[in-house]
Amino acid sequence: MDDAKRANTTFRDYLRKAADWYRHAYRLRYTIKRVLLMLMVFFIIISICFILIKLLPSKPAEQFGKDKNMVEMRRKALGYDKPLAVQYLIFIQKSLLGGDWGMSEVRYLGSNVWDVFMEKMPATVMVNVYTMLFAVPLGLLLGIYAALKKNKWQDHVISTGVMVFVSVPSYVYAFLVQYFLCYKLQLFDFQIKSGRDFLSWSMFVSMIPAIISLGFGTIAGLARYTRAELTEVLTSEYLLLARTKGLSRSQTTVRHALRNSMVPIFPMILGEFIGIIGGSIIIEQIFGVPGVGALYIESITSTPPDYNMFLLLSAFYTIIGLASGIVVDLSYGFVDPRIRMGSTK
Amino acid sequence: MNTNTNIPNIPKEDFEFVGTDSYLHDKKLETKPIGYFRDAFNRFVRNKSSVAAAIIIMILVLYAIFVPMLCQTSYSRALTDTMYQQYSKLPPKMKLLAWAGVDGTSKVTINSNTYEAYRAKYVETGMNPIVKVYKANYEDPKAASENARYYDIKVDNYYNMGMMELTLTPDQYKDLQAYQSETGLQIIYPSVKTQSKDKNANIWYKVDTRGNPVLDEDGNFINDYRIASVNDKSYDSLRIASDTDPEQPYAYARVTGTSEVPSYIVRVSKYNYFIYRYGFEPSFNFGTTGNGFDIFTRLAAAARFSFLLAICVSAVNLTIGTIYGSVQGYYGGWVDMIMDRICDVLGGIPFSVVTVLFQLHLSKQVGVIGALIFAFVLTGWLGMAARVRMQFYRFKGQEYVLAARTLGASDKRVMFKHIFPNSLGTIITGVVLVIPGVIFSESSLTYLGIVNLESSTMTSVGTMLANARSFFTSYPYIIFFPCLFIALLEISFNLFGNGLRDAFNPSLRGVE
């Protein structure tokens, strides 16, 4: 009797604990909710893309010309003979769940689309990682400096520069960099060097023009944001309190102002870090980076367009965009415990 | 408190109007009333950089509107003319800015062979391509060939165009001669005996086997003109100065074709032929592109297209976004939630994917531009809808809305007569900030070749950049003007937009 009762209470305790935990795990709940929502959105988008692509005439099959048999066979091989709904089911089963995105039909004829994609990935990632490594600290420093020197000439210089670099399209700097650094001063080559040694020093040097061109925008954006956030925090009352308590100006700035201003800035940096995998199509094209962006342009400007490649890359860009949005949202809660994402309170 | 409350039956005659002879009204305001927009305008004007940006935008818009209308020449209008290739890559030449070096000249380093060729052009036509010699006849230790000699000169690229060969019908040949006789402008120059290897029409003098000119004792060029028979009457017009011997006249054309339908191959000076053909001296404000298009008018056409596209797109986005956002914000609840999910899905599609799909599907039916506009509209209104929705959430709980609803105003009336005007400031700012975004996306897409708008009558900034890129180190001015245009446009639109936002909503000042 006693045992049974005890067992019962412990079980009930567990239940209560679980319920409590569930109630307090709003962050986990929120995360799961957001991820599920994201997957749903992704699924809808990729379905629309698939259907729109399959509705197009099958150019790769038609290139066999007048030979009806060949065209028919090719259509069959590409799966165009089945009804659209069946094709869609096969697509979900084979590509979305199985990870097999089919063969390239044009440029990389016969090779698996996914393999080509993975082969192009390192160049894009490396260029963008280098960019972030030098752009993020520089952007933060400029922003902090401008905020500390608010309304002095240093601030005006930085703010004007930021305004210019935020507005002017990145390909304009790319041309300037190519013209002055690569042509006039002959410091670098126009295009990055061929080869797959992405971690080597010589590869890094040849990537510098692309890194600089990509970095300007990031630096300017980050500096502007940091300046705005930090000036707001620097004028707040708790900072005045900290000063009255006897902290020095540098102590208040570093310990109080900077940490608080990082709350919105950190998620932004995180979002950019995810976004870097997507890269910048136009910079990759200008500097000949053999990356995903170049692959994307190739897949749509080739005749006929490479549908399988296009579908895979569309899925990739979609998921990158969605994921960076989620990570930014969620990281607010992690950076600042006061922000309770998804909490009802 | 309770005085005079209980007086029954006051006779009607005892009532009397107070002050029938004077009007009671509010005191008249001594200052002018300042409305919402007036207030915003006052604040905007105080912001110097935004005003400067507005002026720059005005100039760019005027450039885009009026240059294609007024500054078209017979050259820039003759769009399918193959003659274009002959006048490609000319540098900018402006009469107004000639003092600043914008006079069609450039500084180059050439070797002695090229120098001789330039000199020969001067001797033959009298138009000297060598404006100034900075450093003559020096050895370059870095150069590959040891005994090569170099010259640093300032070259007039317009005079340096030299000669070209044209094949004319008899009528065209006669017409050209008549024009020559009438104006006294030497266009046709005598044809040359030996054809040089690369068919260079500029070589009118004797050359050795290596292509170097053979000079006589005085250091002059020896001409290599063909001699016509005395009886040949097909040329009857101006003759060049050295053509003095009536027994041995120079031949001004090579005749090919049949004897019934002869055609004349003539050597003409490109500069003078341009005057004959288009009626004015070649001079291009911004230079010409690699295909020979006049950049000044071509860029204006591109700019006009960009502006039109941006205005169309932002007008459509404004309409859709406002209606969608108002409904979302006003009704809230599950309507808002469902509509928000639709926005999520649309917002998740990368823009480049949308554009490609629209180009593949619609460009046959509605044209490339139509498909581009559809792509912009499909996702472009999301930002506007979000803005309007936020404004509606902000205003819908306020007292005046409650009052309007109590008085029986319909939902539509409350939304568009009462709430909407209050969110107008944000919406105007939104529209202004959409325009540079659209122009930027359009130029990127055309640059990458995802959207191809290039034709003889039309172009876009992105296409101009892409075409100029292959030779932008040697001819930087071709890429400079489109770049300058887009950079100025983006900067000034952003400054202008920020100024507007600060003016309409001073509390947001400084928040970027």
Side-chain angles (χ1 to χ4, degrees):
Chain A
M1 176 79 186
D2 252 14
D3 281 357
K5 200 176 177 185
R6 194 179 299 137
N8 201 8
T9 41
T10 46
F11 179 65
R12 214 181 288 157
D13 277 355
Y14 278 130
L15 262 187
R16 192 178 299 131
K17 261 187 195 156
D20 260 15
W21 181 82
Y22 180 73
R23 206 173 300 132
H24 286 105
Y26 50 85
R27 193 178 288 160
L28 183 73
R29 256 186 302 151
Y30 182 67
T31 311
I32 292 172
K33 203 175 113 190
R34 284 297 303 266
V35 170
L36 286 181
L37 205 62
M38 179 193 99
L39 288 178
M40 201 183 82
V41 169
F42 171 73
F43 184 71
I44 294 173
I45 292 174
I46 203 66
S47 303
I48 295 172
C49 284
F50 176 82
I51 290 165
L52 283 179
I53 286 173
K54 288 292 164 184
L55 283 177
L56 289 167
S58 165
K59 289 262 176 56
E62 280 156 18
Q63 69 193 358
F64 287 96
K66 292 209 176 71
D67 192 343
K68 286 268 161 51
N69 266 339
M70 285 286 270
V71 173
E72 232 12 78
M73 273 163 68
R74 184 83 180 127
R75 278 177 66 83
K76 217 169 198 167
L78 292 169
Y80 274 91
D81 56 332
K82 300 183 187 72
L84 194 59
V86 178
Q87 288 184 44
Y88 179 55
L89 286 177
I90 293 174
F91 168 71
I92 293 173
Q93 196 187 11
K94 210 176 84 178
S95 303
L96 280 184
L97 301 176
D100 175 11
W101 290 79
M103 294 291 170
S104 170
E105 289 153 11
V106 189
R107 173 80 198 273
Y108 302 90
L109 193 61
S111 42
N112 193 311
V113 169
W114 180 262
D115 294 341
V116 177
F117 168 64
M118 288 318 277
E119 197 181 295
K120 299 282 179 185
M121 203 60 173
T124 301
V125 172
M126 283 323 289
V127 168
N128 287 287
V129 164
Y130 286 138
T131 306
M132 292 308 276
L133 284 184
F134 106 98
V136 167
L138 212 57
L140 284 178
L141 279 179
L142 280 178
I144 292 167
Y145 187 69
L148 293 179
K149 299 275 177 191
K150 199 186 171 199
N151 289 335
K152 296 203 179 94
W153 66 268
Q154 294 97 329
D155 177 36
H156 291 311
V157 169
I158 292 177
S159 297
T160 313
V162 160
M163 192 63 223
V164 170
F165 282 113
V166 161
S167 313
V168 176
S170 61
Y171 49 76
V172 175
Y173 330 129
F175 296 144
L176 288 177
V177 165
Q178 273 196 335
Y179 187 72
F180 287 106
L181 297 187
C182 305
Y183 173 67
K184 284 276 174 192
L185 300 176
Q186 304 201 333
L187 295 175
F188 309 103
D189 290 338
F190 278 82
Q191 310 256 300
I192 79 164
K193 78 184 195 71
S194 53
R196 301 197 50 79
D197 48 337
F198 291 110
L199 292 172
S200 70
W201 175 251
S202 57
M203 182 58 100
F204 171 70
V205 171
S206 74
M207 279 176 180
I208 288 177
I211 294 170
I212 294 174
S213 315
L214 268 177
F216 276 133
T218 315
I219 293 174
L222 204 56
R224 173 160 86 165
Y225 205 55
T226 311
R227 180 187 171 276
E229 285 301 324
L230 196 57
T231 41
E232 206 182 317
V233 177
L234 280 174
T235 49
S236 63
E237 272 154 15
Y238 61 81
L239 221 70
L240 191 65
L241 178 71
R243 285 303 297 278
T244 29
K245 282 197 308 186
L247 269 69
S248 73
R249 200 179 139 87
S250 58
Q251 278 174 320
T252 52
T253 310
V254 175
R255 288 193 204 158
H256 294 262
L258 264 185
R259 288 183 70 169
N260 275 300
S261 67
M262 279 302 132
V263 171
I265 294 169
F266 181 74
M268 182 187 162
I269 298 173
L270 210 61
E272 292 222 4
F273 252 108
I274 303 234
I276 62 173
I277 309 170
S280 162
I281 297 178
I282 206 157
I283 294 289
E284 283 192 14
Q285 205 255 3
I286 290 174
F287 290 101
V289 179
V292 181
L295 191 66
Y296 183 71
I297 295 297
E298 243 172 40
S299 76
I300 47 189
T301 49
S302 61
T303 40
D306 199 337
Y307 293 140
N308 284 344
M309 192 71 89
F310 174 68
L311 198 56
L312 172 63
L313 292 178
S314 303
F316 166 70
Y317 282 122
T318 309
I319 207 139
I320 287 290
L322 293 172
S324 69
I326 285 198
V327 169
V328 168
D329 272 6
L330 292 180
S331 63
Y332 275 110
F334 288 101
V335 176
D336 187 354
R338 288 170 301 180
I339 300 174
R340 301 195 157 190
M341 279 293 165
S343 142
T344 46
K345 281 175 222 164
Chain B
M1 281 299 277
N2 45 7
T3 50
N4 292 342
T5 49
N6 211 10
I7 303 169
N9 301 332
I10 304 174
K12 205 178 177 187
E13 310 87 71
D14 287 1
F15 280 106
E16 197 183 313
F17 283 110
V18 179
T20 43
D21 50 345
S22 69
Y23 291 107
L24 285 175
H25 47 69
D26 289 337
K27 203 181 169 194
K28 207 176 175 190
L29 288 169
E30 276 166 14
T31 50
K32 265 190 189 167
I34 293 181
Y36 177 59
F37 286 99
R38 182 80 213 170
D39 190 32
F41 181 76
N42 286 349
R43 265 198 298 270
F44 180 79
V45 170
R46 240 172 284 143
N47 190 342
K48 291 282 180 302
S49 61
S50 301
V51 174
I55 292 170
I56 295 176
I57 293 174
M58 272 312 254
I59 293 171
L60 292 178
V61 170
L62 290 178
Y63 168 69
I65 294 174
F66 287 110
V67 167
M69 271 164 57
L70 304 176
C71 298
Q72 293 283 5
T73 57
S74 49
Y75 181 75
S76 54
R77 235 181 263 121
L79 289 159
T80 47
D81 200 333
T82 47
M83 197 55 63
Y84 267 39
Q85 296 290 340
Q86 301 292 340
Y87 300 102
S88 64
K89 298 172 191 166
L90 286 172
K93 182 174 179 179
M94 278 187 246
K95 284 202 182 76
L96 280 176
L97 288 176
W99 53 270
V102 192
D103 52 358
T105 59
S106 55
K107 199 189 157 188
V108 288
T109 300
I110 52 173
N111 62 21
S112 48
N113 282 359
T114 321
Y115 183 78
E116 285 300 314
Y118 283 9
R119 210 164 64 81
K121 281 177 195 167
Y122 172 49
V123 171
E124 189 180 30
T125 61
M127 293 187 282
N128 194 355
I130 303 164
V131 181
K132 201 173 178 182
V133 180
Y134 295 107
K135 194 174 172 192
N137 211 9
Y138 67 94
E139 272 179 41
D140 189 358
K142 277 182 288 181
S145 157
E146 277 183 12
N147 46 13
R149 298 274 173 171
Y150 292 90
Y151 290 79
D152 283 352
I153 61 164
K154 191 180 190 182
V155 58
D156 186 324
N157 291 287
Y158 284 82
Y159 284 165
N160 197 25
M161 287 188 291
M163 300 286 170
M164 62 179 163
E165 280 198 335
L166 285 181
T167 308
L168 301 178
T169 62
D171 285 347
Q172 289 171 329
Y173 189 43
K174 282 225 176 65
D175 194 43
L176 194 50
Q177 287 179 41
Y179 181 83
Q180 269 197 148
S181 314
E182 195 186 315
T183 58
L185 189 70
Q186 186 78 47
I187 298 168
I188 309 175
Y189 284 83
S191 38
V192 181
K193 266 185 211 151
T194 46
Q195 283 291 300
S196 67
K197 269 178 282 175
D198 53 350
K199 287 206 169 174
N200 186 344
N202 285 312
I203 298 176
W204 57 275
Y205 42 87
K206 285 210 167 81
V207 289
D208 61 18
T209 47
R210 295 176 62 200
N212 296 328
V214 180
L215 305 175
D216 63 12
E217 303 90 57
D218 304 331
N220 293 323
F221 295 100
I222 305 165
N223 79 53
D224 196 21
Y225 294 134
R226 286 153 57 93
I227 305 295
S229 73
V230 187
N231 303 326
D232 187 5
K233 293 283 177 257
S234 68
Y235 186 79
D236 181 27
S237 182
L238 294 183
R239 290 175 178 275
I240 64 169
S242 63
D243 189 8
T244 46
D245 189 353
E247 296 303 311
Q248 287 193 323
Y250 295 155
Y252 284 78
R254 274 189 294 132
V255 188
T256 57
T258 58
S259 55
E260 288 93 56
V261 197
S263 54
Y264 297 91
I265 300 175
V266 291
R267 263 174 87 234
V268 296
S269 153
K270 283 189 195 175
Y271 193 92
N272 289 345
Y273 185 75
F274 189 99
I275 301 173
Y276 158 70
R277 179 142 183 170
Y278 301 108
F280 63 103
E281 283 197 32
S283 165
F284 300 101
N285 287 342
F286 289 176
T288 55
T289 67
N291 292 329
F293 291 118
D294 174 21
I295 296 178
F296 187 66
T297 48
R298 191 92 171 144
L299 181 63
R304 186 171 59 172
F305 170 73
S306 291
F307 279 126
L308 276 180
L309 180 79
I311 290 168
C312 273
V313 169
S314 48
V316 177
N317 285 350
L318 175 72
T319 321
I320 301 178
T322 310
I323 295 171
Y324 197 92
S326 325
V327 171
Q328 234 186 329
Y330 186 74
Y331 291 106
W334 62 270
V335 177
D336 183 24
M337 211 201 63
I338 291 176
M339 290 172 95
D340 219 26
R341 291 291 85 76
I342 297 175
C343 285
D344 274 357
V345 171
L346 286 177
I349 314 175
F351 181 63
S352 51
V353 174
V354 177
T355 325
V356 172
L357 285 175
F358 272 101
Q359 287 295 326
L360 290 174
H361 271 280
L362 287 178
S363 59
K364 288 239 169 57
Q365 286 95 318
V366 296
V368 177
I369 301 171
L372 187 63
I373 292 177
F374 271 114
F376 271 117
V377 167
L378 181 74
T379 55
W381 54 269
L382 293 174
M384 186 57 71
R387 251 172 230 274
V388 175
R389 170 174 175 263
M390 213 169 75
Q391 293 297 316
F392 266 71
Y393 264 110
R394 203 170 120 198
F395 290 118
K396 74 174 178 187
Q398 298 211 341
E399 282 80 2
Y400 68 87
V401 175
L402 190 66
R405 209 178 294 155
T406 319
L407 290 171
S410 66
D411 279 354
K412 215 168 92 187
R413 194 181 164 82
V414 173
M415 278 157 77
F416 292 107
K417 280 270 172 190
H418 295 273
I419 306 182
F420 182 72
N422 279 301
S423 50
L424 212 55
T426 339
I427 290 167
I428 292 173
T429 314
V431 170
V432 169
L433 288 174
V434 161
I435 291 175
V438 171
I439 294 179
F440 170 64
S441 309
E442 177 254 328
S443 66
S444 306
L445 289 172
T446 46
Y447 176 81
L448 289 170
I450 297 179
V451 180
N452 188 11
L453 296 169
E454 181 79 353
S455 73
S456 58
T457 49
M458 219 180 93
T459 190
S460 69
V461 181
T463 319
M464 289 184 83
L465 291 172
N467 290 342
R469 220 177 81 72
S470 48
F471 34 76
F472 87 105
T473 50
S474 351
Y475 306 98
Y477 49 83
I478 301 179
I479 212 165
F480 173 75
F481 288 102
C483 274
L484 181 74
F485 169 76
I486 201 130
L488 267 183
L489 186 82
E490 297 286 325
I491 294 174
S492 41
F493 259 108
N494 278 334
L495 277 177
F496 181 65
N498 286 353
L500 272 188
R501 188 202 50 207
D502 290 347
F504 279 120
N505 199 346
S507 62
L508 277 179
R509 186 188 300 268
V511 183
E512 300 286 330

